[in-house]
Amino acid sequence: MIVEMDLYYQIRSRYNDGESIRSIARKLGISRQTVKKYCRGDTHPDERKPYHRDSEVVTQEVIDFARACLEEDKKENLSKQWHTAKRIYDRLVFEKGFRGAESTIRKLVKTLRAEMDISPQADIPLEYDPGDAGQIDWGEATAYINGQKTKVQFFCGRLCNSCAIFVQAYYSQNTESFLEAQQKMFDFFGGVPLRLIFDNAKVAVKEGFGKHAKATDGYKAFAAHYAFKTEFCNIASGNEKGLVENLVGFARKNFMVPVPRVKSIDELNAQLLASCTDYMNTHKVTTKSVSVKEAYEVERYYLHSVPTYRFDTSKTETPSVGDYSTVRFDKNNYSVPVKYLRKDVTVKGYANTVHIYHKGVLIATHDRAYGKNKTEYRLEHYIDLLERKPRAVFQAKPVRATVDKELLDWGKMLPGGNKEMVKLLRLCVDHGVDKVLDIKRSLPPGIVPTVDIVRSQLRETPESNIIHFKRDVNVISTDLSTYDKKCGVMPR
């Protein structure tokens, strides 16, 4: 029987006044069991016992399987590769023929996690002073670079007080990329925080972890130059750098969707930098009372200034130029002009580029190759040699690797053969392959191509020598009537 509040009051008040249970039941017209249940106030009519019914599909076998999955996670201690409730459900369906609902397994897993003390731990909300700290981390995404589907590693940095962000893409998480990314981050923020918080990255830590980690000598030198303190996180403790962990996911979902399609990684990084600036100008963190831009305007005054001397973030080697006019660096080869054959050079490998010097003079630059045994050629490095050895032109690797097949096929039609092809390549070096191809495509069908035709088309008056005249000239008319009067000229 469900007792209303007025009736409940009558039962309680009469009983407190000393009336017997039998009398209360008779006068109120209810059963003695109901009066006995409520008279002492041991319970309340609004109290509802939770309904529970053992599920017929959650058998002991199902419970044991789910528990084994969670115990395996706990044993392996892999923070990013653990069973979700969805994964356990999928495995139960596939391996055990489970026919229940996914929600049933979600409830079971939640209960088991609590029993096994592996439920997510609560985090303590943190607050940082302006200029106190920054957090950095890496993420991975896919982009189409020059038409090729490419995995890129994107570096994320965030100021802890203002939540201003910095994101840039690299081909690798190597030391050069790691240092260069931080250097560019300091430039973007216009200063350096007192400390940087990040994982125990192998490129920065030589031994230990967390507060016991010891930085490599190279990273110590970098940190000393920019005057910041390193603070390494404990293993599997993403909560210690939660701001940048969130940024990694945010950047992947917002800056990398749809999948970027760019001509070069430099173009991708320009887009990412524009996105960071837009975020700073328009975003507001829900837990803060001011916008990111307003907070950053305050925080930047507390950042240490970026030193004038630019720290060299490159990996440097000093190989000799080989017989094919290439140098070996980090398992790949890069061409240099043939006049440096068998001379010692200095190779500076940066994150995405390679610079080659001879006696302090820059003689070649290349996009950096990753992988093994790749060779990066520049046509201009071999054009002098090809002019001396024209018979090799169509089989020369530097030509095949750098010249469009369309141009090569066209070159085979030249009346002068190999020598004419080399002359055409010289025009490509001097004026650019695209200009030569544009001329080729503009010729009417059936015309036999010659180098003289191309050369004549390229001999156009430079834009700098053209004199431009303004079409709209403001001419001020002069009133000559006063002059006419002085000279005695009669008006017409």
Side-chain angles (χ1 to χ4, degrees):
M1 177 181 180
I2 300 175
V3 177
E4 296 179 355
M5 289 304 106
D6 288 342
L7 185 59
Y8 178 57
Y9 169 74
Q10 292 285 341
I11 294 172
R12 291 281 293 121
S13 60
R14 286 174 178 270
Y15 183 80
N16 287 339
D17 290 340
E19 191 171 346
S20 67
I21 293 174
R22 183 186 297 271
S23 174
I24 296 172
R26 187 181 69 254
K27 291 180 179 179
L28 295 180
I30 56 178
S31 68
R32 282 181 289 173
Q33 287 81 358
T34 300
V35 176
K36 188 175 181 180
K37 179 179 179 180
Y38 294 113
C39 64
R40 295 186 178 88
D42 295 335
T43 185
H44 191 278
D46 282 348
E47 182 185 18
R48 296 289 184 269
K49 290 185 178 181
Y51 173 76
H52 174 73
R53 178 173 64 90
D54 290 335
S55 173
E56 295 178 359
V57 294
V58 181
T59 62
Q60 190 60 46
E61 183 185 17
V62 170
I63 295 172
D64 292 342
F65 182 88
R67 190 188 301 276
C69 291
L70 298 177
E71 287 175 347
E72 181 184 350
D73 292 344
K74 196 171 183 179
K75 181 180 178 182
E76 293 292 341
N77 194 27
L78 297 177
S79 61
K80 294 185 178 180
Q81 290 177 252
W82 44 271
H83 284 83
T84 62
K86 173 69 165 57
R87 180 61 183 143
I88 293 175
Y89 170 75
D90 290 341
R91 287 189 61 186
L92 279 167
V93 171
F94 181 74
E95 298 176 32
K96 301 294 183 182
F98 182 73
R99 296 183 178 277
E102 183 181 330
S103 59
T104 302
I105 300 305
R106 289 188 179 278
K107 293 175 183 177
L108 173 63
V109 170
K110 184 177 181 181
T111 302
L112 290 176
R113 286 187 187 279
E115 290 177 1
M116 298 168 66
D117 194 27
I118 56 174
S119 298
Q121 297 295 315
D123 295 331
I124 299 175
L126 303 176
E127 185 176 65
Y128 295 87
D129 294 330
D132 173 38
Q135 296 178 3
I136 57 178
D137 200 3
W138 287 98
E140 187 176 89
T142 297
Y144 285 92
I145 300 178
N146 198 24
Q148 296 294 318
K149 188 177 181 180
T150 308
K151 274 189 178 181
V152 295
Q153 312 296 319
F154 61 96
F155 174 91
C156 294
R158 197 168 201 173
L159 294 176
C160 295
N161 175 266
S162 64
C163 291
I165 66 172
F166 173 81
V167 181
Q168 288 284 269
Y170 296 89
Y171 290 116
S172 171
Q173 294 186 23
N174 58 16
T175 303
E176 303 91 276
S177 303
F178 187 60
L179 298 182
E180 183 180 305
Q182 292 172 71
Q183 191 176 66
K184 288 185 175 181
M185 178 181 70
F186 298 149
D187 292 339
F188 181 74
F189 288 147
V192 185
L194 292 173
R195 56 197 176 108
L196 283 184
I197 305 168
F198 54 99
D199 283 331
N200 295 264
K202 291 182 180 179
V203 294
V205 178
K206 62 181 178 181
E207 61 181 75
F209 60 89
K211 65 180 181 180
H212 303 293
K214 293 183 179 179
T216 61
D217 293 340
Y219 195 66
K220 276 185 179 178
F222 179 81
H225 181 64
Y226 287 98
F228 65 84
K229 180 182 177 182
T230 57
E231 191 168 305
F232 301 104
C233 296
N234 290 309
I235 294 177
S237 299
N239 58 293
E240 295 181 9
K241 54 179 177 60
L243 287 171
V244 76
E245 290 270 354
N246 292 336
L247 173 58
V248 170
F250 179 89
R252 185 184 291 113
K253 294 173 184 176
N254 292 273
F255 301 164
M256 306 291 188
V257 176
V259 177
R261 295 178 183 270
V262 293
K263 292 182 179 179
S264 67
I265 198 165
D266 290 337
E267 182 182 342
L268 174 59
N269 280 329
Q271 292 180 7
L272 290 173
L273 216 57
S275 296
C276 292
T277 302
D278 181 65
Y279 177 95
M280 187 182 297
N281 290 333
T282 61
H283 202 77
K284 183 179 181 299
V285 179
T286 55
T287 57
K288 293 183 176 291
S289 59
V290 296
S291 67
V292 172
K293 184 177 182 180
E294 291 170 324
Y296 168 72
E297 291 296 331
V298 174
E299 184 166 28
R300 67 175 179 169
Y301 288 106
Y302 291 87
L303 299 173
H304 289 163
S305 60
V306 177
T308 305
Y309 173 79
R310 195 153 186 85
F311 189 92
D312 187 359
T313 61
S314 70
K315 178 181 180 180
T316 304
E317 295 180 5
T318 54
S320 295
V321 180
D323 291 344
Y324 296 115
S325 196
T326 60
V327 293
R328 185 80 169 171
F329 172 76
D330 197 24
K331 303 176 183 178
N332 294 294
N333 303 304
Y334 301 87
S335 69
V336 298
V338 293
K339 67 180 181 179
Y340 296 102
L341 190 71
R342 296 176 184 170
K343 294 181 179 180
D344 292 335
V345 294
T346 300
V347 182
K348 288 184 174 292
Y350 295 92
N352 297 326
T353 58
V354 171
H355 295 182
I356 305 172
Y357 296 82
H358 177 66
K359 294 183 178 180
V361 177
L362 181 66
I363 61 172
T365 60
H366 292 273
D367 290 336
R368 184 165 178 176
Y370 284 96
K372 294 182 180 180
N373 300 321
K374 297 178 182 178
T375 301
E376 297 293 320
Y377 293 109
R378 299 289 294 272
L379 179 61
E380 60 266 30
H381 295 164
Y382 295 91
I383 192 65
D384 293 340
L385 183 61
L386 286 168
E387 288 174 338
R388 298 197 301 270
K389 299 181 178 182
R391 291 182 61 183
V393 64
F394 288 108
Q395 285 74 47
K397 281 187 177 181
V399 175
R400 291 189 171 197
T402 59
V403 178
D404 194 285
K405 186 178 183 299
E406 180 185 356
L407 191 63
L408 284 176
D409 292 341
W410 192 48
K412 292 176 182 177
M413 299 168 58
L414 295 171
N418 291 15
K419 288 186 178 180
E420 290 294 290
M421 181 62 191
V422 173
K423 291 178 182 178
L424 186 67
L425 293 179
R426 170 60 79 176
L427 293 177
C428 290
V429 169
D430 293 342
H431 299 277
V433 175
D434 290 340
K435 279 190 176 181
V436 175
L437 274 175
D438 287 342
I439 293 171
K440 179 256 180 187
R441 292 163 184 163
S442 68
L443 294 177
I447 290 184
V448 178
T450 65
V451 173
D452 288 338
I453 291 177
V454 177
R455 189 179 288 118
S456 66
Q457 293 292 318
L458 290 169
R459 286 175 181 168
E460 296 179 354
T461 306
E463 182 70 19
S464 59
N465 293 339
I466 298 176
I467 301 174
H468 296 276
F469 293 95
K470 294 179 68 175
R471 292 180 178 272
D472 299 324
V473 180
N474 185 21
V475 179
I476 302 174
S477 59
T478 304
D479 184 6
L480 299 178
S481 59
T482 304
Y483 175 80
D484 290 342
K485 289 179 181 180
K486 289 182 178 180
C487 296
V489 179
M490 298 297 292
R492 296 177 182 178

